[in-house]
Amino acid sequence: MAELDITSPLLSSPSSYQPQTVLTVHDYQDSEPSNLQSSLPTTVLHQNHNHGRTRNENGHHSSPNPYEFLRSGGFSVPASTTVDPFRNETPFISGIYEVIKIVLCLPIALARLVLFGASLVVGYMATKVALAGWRDKQNPMPKWRCRLMWVTRVCARFILFSFGYHWIRRKGKPAPREIAPVVVSNHVSYIEPIFYFYELFPTIVASESHDSIPFVGTIIRAMQVIYVNRFSPTSRKNAANEIKVEYLPLIMPSDHQKQNAVRFAERTGRAMASALNVVQTSHSYGDLMLLMKAAQLQQEKPWIYMVEMARIESLYHISSLEAVDFLDKFLSMNPDPSGCVKPHDFLRVLQLKACTLSEEIFGFLDVEKNGSITFKQFLFGSAHVLKLPLFRQACELAFAECDTDGDNFCTKKELADVLRHTFRELDDDEVQGLFNLFDTDNDGRMSRDDFFYCLRKNPLVIAIFSPRLLRKNLSKAGDKMLEDIV
């Protein structure tokens, strides 16, 4: 797409395809029905399939699209999966029978604890001997040191035995390292790394925090671990009662997949899901961040705010941190226990005056037309608007309209003058609320950076400038603008 600046028309000319068009008139000012004909209209040209009210994929009537001036054709929200990969359905211990079992098994638990401690100490000492005097840690460990690590590997098997994994069944055989040097595992607990250490003695990818764990950190260093830095603490539950490491057939990347690691990862994930006979979802670490944020803010059902972040990142390139910011905004709208937000709370947080345009903004997100929105709808809709090709240009034009004296700042009066093209009766408190929304650094004046930062955090708000932008274009281009707006 060609580079755009604030002098370019917001809406480009249509292609050679010429659909049948219908000329409609909208007035977003707070006018009574009897005054609509006498008020100055905003003229917009719609394609015939967007005229008036339309039906969406579910057969519901939808409001006019308030982001059509950005070439938005609307968005869809994929259905949520019924699978929650972060919930542990293990029942709680209850009843006299369970208590009796615990008491009778205490001697066995103590014996296992002794076995675990002894295995850990012996393995640690063997590892210290293997690492003694070794300085060249950029190259593979010499074979004689690897042979000493066999003692630690046997100790790892005793540790698994003390945890209750007496016999581990295997399906298939691992391929030689020369053919398949990378092992991809569905990491769900702390158990399978111990098994892999005993079985394969691999070089693993792990968090930097593991290096500081007593005893274990030394053993991890002996595996020449590749450290990664995680920016948020993890929260994992023990999800398996029995470990299974099943060696699947080799998956070799095609020539196309060698150039696209994501496609190869998807193919590998499908193979693992098929072997495990489980549903494959698009949940990622970002969903865990959303879950933790909702729990931190004491939501009754924090798990309903997970949205399968991998899909959103792929569609809209929205990062997990950006999604958490959107969740923070959504939770300030006071969602009910089912995670739904009503129109008045939505308008309150975005400082929008109740009017036709505000209803259309809410209706744009309410894809199911039930009078409320979920976080998933809010996130998908916000991300959709934020990533529209004309969004940044619209922001540039909107600020240019507000900055009448060209000093890269907008006063409250200048903002009010622009907004009165959208909201006819806007009192001082309502103007101040919108001004505070844009004055992100709270210094009493709205800079260009404040304006853009606010719209990145609240992309839906760009719609309030659409009447002024369309009027500006119409006044400049005259009748020719009717051919340019699609």
Side-chain angles (χ1 to χ4, degrees):
M1 183 176 179
E3 190 67 25
L4 302 171
D5 56 36
I6 63 173
T7 62
S8 305
L10 181 62
L11 301 166
S12 59
S13 301
S15 63
S16 58
Y17 169 69
Q18 298 292 338
Q20 179 183 357
T21 57
V22 178
L23 189 64
T24 62
V25 174
H26 293 293
D27 187 351
Y28 294 127
Q29 299 174 349
D30 292 328
S31 303
E32 294 297 326
S34 59
N35 297 329
L36 287 179
Q37 293 181 352
S38 61
S39 60
L40 181 63
T42 297
T43 308
V44 184
L45 192 66
H46 293 276
Q47 292 183 4
N48 61 332
H49 60 272
N50 283 331
H51 170 56
R53 292 187 174 270
T54 60
R55 288 181 180 268
N56 59 18
E57 294 176 356
N58 298 323
H60 299 290
H61 287 286
S62 60
S63 303
N65 185 350
Y67 302 98
E68 192 175 23
F69 75 107
L70 297 179
R71 285 187 181 171
S72 168
F75 73 102
S76 60
V77 179
S80 299
T81 177
T82 58
V83 178
D84 185 351
F86 298 106
R87 296 189 69 183
N88 188 348
E89 301 295 344
T90 302
F92 291 101
I93 297 175
S94 60
I96 298 177
Y97 175 69
E98 294 294 335
V99 174
I100 293 175
K101 285 200 302 183
I102 292 175
V103 172
L104 294 179
C105 291
L106 276 178
I108 299 177
L110 292 175
R112 289 184 174 183
L113 184 62
V114 171
L115 176 61
F116 168 75
S119 301
L120 188 61
V121 170
V122 172
Y124 173 76
M125 295 176 61
T127 303
K128 292 290 286 185
V129 173
L131 292 177
W134 183 43
R135 298 288 182 267
D136 185 17
K137 298 182 180 181
Q138 301 299 321
N139 294 312
M141 183 180 289
K143 288 186 177 180
W144 69 271
R145 294 183 184 271
C146 291
R147 292 191 181 99
L148 286 176
M149 289 300 298
W150 260 106
V151 178
T152 309
R153 294 173 68 177
V154 172
C155 289
R157 184 63 186 91
F158 278 108
I159 288 175
L160 288 175
F161 186 88
S162 69
F163 288 165
Y165 298 99
H166 303 151
W167 183 255
I168 301 174
R169 296 181 179 181
R170 300 167 178 80
K171 280 187 178 181
K173 294 182 179 180
R177 294 187 182 219
E178 296 78 16
I179 298 177
V182 177
V183 176
V184 181
S185 170
N186 54 324
H187 181 28
V188 295
S189 72
Y190 62 89
I191 295 297
E192 70 269 10
I194 302 176
F195 173 78
Y196 278 128
F197 173 73
Y198 161 69
E199 181 87 348
L200 302 174
F201 191 52
T203 294
I204 63 174
V205 178
S207 172
E208 287 181 343
S209 59
H210 294 164
D211 186 71
S212 59
I213 300 177
F215 296 100
V216 176
T218 301
I219 298 175
I220 288 178
R221 284 194 294 275
M223 299 172 68
Q224 294 184 271
V225 65
I226 300 173
Y227 289 114
V228 294
N229 184 14
R230 290 184 177 178
F231 49 85
S232 179
T234 60
S235 175
R236 297 290 188 187
K237 291 183 178 180
N238 303 330
N241 293 324
E242 181 181 9
I243 186 172
K244 298 179 180 179
V245 179
E246 179 178 349
Y247 297 102
L248 300 179
L250 289 178
I251 300 178
M252 304 297 292
S254 62
D255 292 337
H256 173 68
Q257 289 170 339
K258 289 179 181 178
Q259 305 298 324
N260 190 334
V262 174
R263 297 299 183 192
F264 183 56
E266 291 174 351
R267 180 183 169 200
T268 304
R270 286 194 296 269
M272 294 172 64
S274 176
L276 292 170
N277 194 27
V278 296
V279 176
Q280 188 176 13
T281 72
S282 297
H283 289 92
S284 69
Y285 185 71
D287 289 285
L288 186 58
M289 294 175 62
L290 294 172
L291 174 68
M292 294 170 62
K293 181 67 175 181
Q296 178 185 351
L297 295 179
Q298 299 181 343
Q299 294 301 302
E300 186 173 337
K301 299 176 181 178
W303 55 86
I304 65 178
Y305 296 101
M306 294 189 297
V307 293
E308 297 186 76
M309 271 303 301
R311 178 181 297 173
I312 294 180
E313 290 172 348
S314 175
L315 289 175
Y316 298 114
H317 307 290
I318 294 292
S319 69
S320 298
L321 291 177
E322 289 176 305
V324 171
D325 286 341
F326 280 116
L327 176 60
D328 203 24
K329 176 73 67 175
F330 184 82
L331 294 180
S332 68
M333 298 175 184
N334 192 30
D336 61 25
S338 65
C340 295
V341 164
K342 298 297 184 182
H344 64 277
D345 288 315
F346 172 81
L347 301 182
R348 170 182 55 83
V349 171
L350 294 184
Q351 300 294 329
L352 297 177
K353 180 180 176 65
C355 66
T356 303
L357 176 60
S358 299
E359 293 174 1
E360 291 178 3
I361 294 174
F362 187 84
F364 178 77
L365 300 178
D366 183 14
V367 294
E368 296 181 359
K369 305 307 170 190
N370 55 14
S372 62
I373 59 173
T374 64
F375 171 63
K376 192 170 187 178
Q377 293 169 344
F378 177 71
L379 180 60
F380 267 81
S382 299
H384 167 77
V385 173
L386 184 62
K387 297 306 176 182
L388 288 172
L390 293 178
F391 176 77
R392 181 171 179 82
Q393 187 189 6
C395 295
E396 294 276 5
L397 284 167
F399 185 76
E401 287 293 292
C402 296
D403 182 22
T404 56
D405 54 7
D407 62 351
N408 277 331
F409 286 95
C410 173
T411 65
K412 187 169 74 170
K413 181 181 181 306
E414 289 173 327
L415 179 64
D417 291 341
V418 172
L419 293 179
R420 286 196 173 96
H421 287 268
T422 305
F423 311 107
R424 169 171 293 181
E425 297 178 358
L426 202 64
D427 60 38
D428 190 65
D429 290 339
E430 292 166 338
V431 173
Q432 187 65 51
L434 280 167
F435 188 83
N436 292 339
L437 182 70
F438 282 96
D439 182 19
T440 54
D441 55 7
N442 298 316
D443 63 352
R445 59 179 186 172
M446 185 207 305
S447 67
R448 184 178 183 276
D449 290 339
D450 291 339
F451 190 83
F452 275 78
Y453 182 81
C454 174
L455 289 176
R456 283 197 302 270
K457 297 294 184 180
N458 307 279
L460 299 170
V461 178
I462 189 62
I464 68 176
F465 298 101
S466 60
R468 179 61 179 259
L469 297 180
L470 290 170
R471 288 173 186 269
K472 177 182 175 66
N473 287 335
L474 284 171
S475 64
K476 285 187 174 182
D479 293 337
K480 183 178 182 299
M481 196 63 187
L482 294 177
E483 300 176 359
D484 293 338
I485 301 176
V486 178

